[in-house]
Amino acid sequence: MPVGEIILVSGKATSALGSIAKSSPSVMRFVKRAYYRITKGKVRIPIFGSGGVGKSTAAKIIAGSTPDNAYNSYTESIWTEQVPLNGDIPGELFVAPGQEVRIDRHWPDLFKTLSCGRAIGLINVVSYGYHSLEINSFKESASWRDGMSIDDFRLQYTADRRDLELKLLEEVVSGLAATTSHVWMVTIINKQDLWYDIQESVLSHYKSGNYAEKLARISSRLGSKNFQHEFIPTSLAISNLTTGSGEIIAKSTSGFDVNLRNKSLEDLSRKLNLLVSK
Ligand SMILES: Nc1nc2c(ncn2[C@@H]2O[C@H](COP(=O)(O)OP(=O)(O)O)[C@@H](O)[C@H]2O)c(=O)[nH]1
Ligand SMILES: [Mg+2]
């Protein structure tokens, strides 16, 4: 199975398809998709998060691209991107644009797909504030103050961006207000390659701080049986965080390699498969 691809056939489907198990793989895949569609319908999953955290990359990898094909130099999305799933499950991922000015226009429709049961779950992507920048120099950033070194800037910028992650999670909490039935949520804590050396602080930032408190509000409203949440630390790519002119804001952790990245993608794939198969 390609790394990250959502391929899933329930036990029931597997036995029902047993008689054609000797068919060619492409026929099997077509039949599995058709079977899944008839029994469960299309899978729809919206993906939220700030600009530059890795939403578009996540969608490509979950839909079946290899990490190398999914790699891109960051450009801001203006519209909701629709990415079809290429595995055994028919469906689509909807990547919400992450810039704050686009939220009011594009996010409500995606929340509606959850409240009316068309979407089965949602993904929120965060990256401990290591959001890609679309500026030429860090001095153009709103987080920049006179006299800052690049290290001072990194600390300020990532702190500001973690605040933005919380603000956008609050949008998700409000956006789910009309959802009354079962929904699952995954938080992809992305860019592990940039924070691998401080992973304990990173995980506790999400699992026991304001982020967790906001998740608890969704859970207490829907009831823990109706709201399942998973944190999945991942590295969808391995690269330094740089500005357009090549200033290095944060370096990939030395020792973080392709094996660790693949391990995180396998974990993502396994956990998403479990959630989608419920
Ligand atoms: N270092 C690092 N870079 C990543 C990771 N995932 C994505 N990126 C890069 O971050 C930039 C923004 O990713 P993108 O998917 O376009 O973000 P989006 O704005 O949330 O859709 C791209 O240049 C990606 O290649 C990761 O795990 N680690
Ligand atoms: Mg994008």
Side-chain angles (χ1 to χ4, degrees):
M1 158 166 129
V3 159
E5 185 173 354
I6 297 185
I7 293 184
L8 175 139
V9 186
S10 68
K12 210 165 135 204
T14 310
S15 62
L17 298 171
S19 59
I20 52 159
K22 290 195 178 104
S23 306
S24 75
S26 62
V27 171
M28 273 303 284
R29 173 159 289 192
F30 175 77
V31 175
K32 283 178 191 170
R33 281 177 76 91
Y35 186 92
Y36 193 94
R37 187 170 190 150
I38 291 162
T39 53
K40 299 201 178 193
K42 259 182 159 189
V43 166
R44 294 185 184 83
I45 305 170
I47 304 182
F48 300 98
S50 324
V53 290
K55 298 179 299 296
S56 302
T57 313
K60 284 189 206 149
I61 290 179
I62 292 166
S65 288
T66 62
D68 285 347
N69 287 338
Y71 187 78
N72 65 92
S73 57
Y74 169 55
T75 45
E76 172 193 332
S77 303
I78 298 174
W79 308 103
T80 298
E81 294 163 57
Q82 226 168 303
V83 182
L85 294 175
N86 293 320
D88 291 350
I89 296 178
E92 281 151 337
L93 303 168
F94 295 91
V95 185
Q99 306 295 318
E100 274 184 284
V101 288
R102 309 203 195 280
I103 289 178
D104 286 351
R105 170 112 191 262
H106 296 275
W107 288 28
D109 282 348
L110 295 173
F111 292 127
K112 245 182 246 158
T113 63
L114 288 156
S115 60
C116 73
R118 274 163 56 83
I120 55 169
L122 70 146
I123 296 175
N124 190 44
V125 186
V126 293
S127 61
Y128 201 58
Y130 290 100
H131 302 184
S132 295
L133 312 98
E134 267 200 312
I135 48 179
N136 226 21
S137 164
F138 64 92
K139 294 187 179 171
E140 295 162 32
S141 164
S143 300
W144 159 258
R145 303 277 176 276
D146 261 355
M148 274 184 172
S149 68
I150 204 156
D151 285 338
D152 298 335
F153 172 72
R154 182 184 58 252
L155 293 174
Q156 186 62 48
Y157 174 73
T158 53
D160 290 348
R161 286 292 171 143
R162 285 193 290 277
D163 287 346
L164 179 60
E165 291 177 356
L166 287 171
K167 199 169 154 198
L168 297 200
L169 177 63
E170 191 59 43
E171 295 282 340
V172 171
V173 176
S174 329
L176 287 177
T179 299
T180 49
S181 55
H182 183 273
V183 69
W184 55 256
M185 174 170 170
V186 158
T187 297
I188 293 182
I189 312 175
N190 193 32
K191 307 206 183 184
Q192 195 177 24
D193 58 306
L194 296 177
W195 49 258
Y196 193 61
D197 51 345
I198 50 159
Q199 59 177 328
E200 273 173 31
S201 330
V202 173
L203 298 181
S204 87
H205 169 77
Y206 292 106
K207 292 185 178 177
S208 50
N210 289 339
Y211 194 97
E213 181 269 320
K214 289 180 197 298
L215 291 178
R217 275 168 37 213
I218 309 176
S219 181
S220 71
R221 192 178 61 74
L222 283 172
S224 54
K225 272 199 191 134
N226 273 333
F227 183 67
Q228 184 177 359
H229 176 271
E230 292 272 352
F231 283 109
I232 312 183
T234 51
S235 172
L236 300 169
I238 302 177
S239 73
N240 296 334
L241 182 70
T242 58
T243 59
S245 64
E247 297 154 333
I248 298 178
I249 306 298
K251 280 193 177 146
S252 257
T253 315
S254 76
F256 192 94
D257 61 8
V258 171
N259 289 334
L260 284 168
R261 182 201 63 189
N262 288 350
K263 204 162 152 275
S264 78
L265 295 183
E266 277 159 23
D267 196 37
L268 172 67
S269 180
R270 193 171 44 78
K271 288 183 173 157
L272 281 179
N273 266 286
L274 281 175
L275 290 166
V276 170
S277 65
K278 279 207 170 143

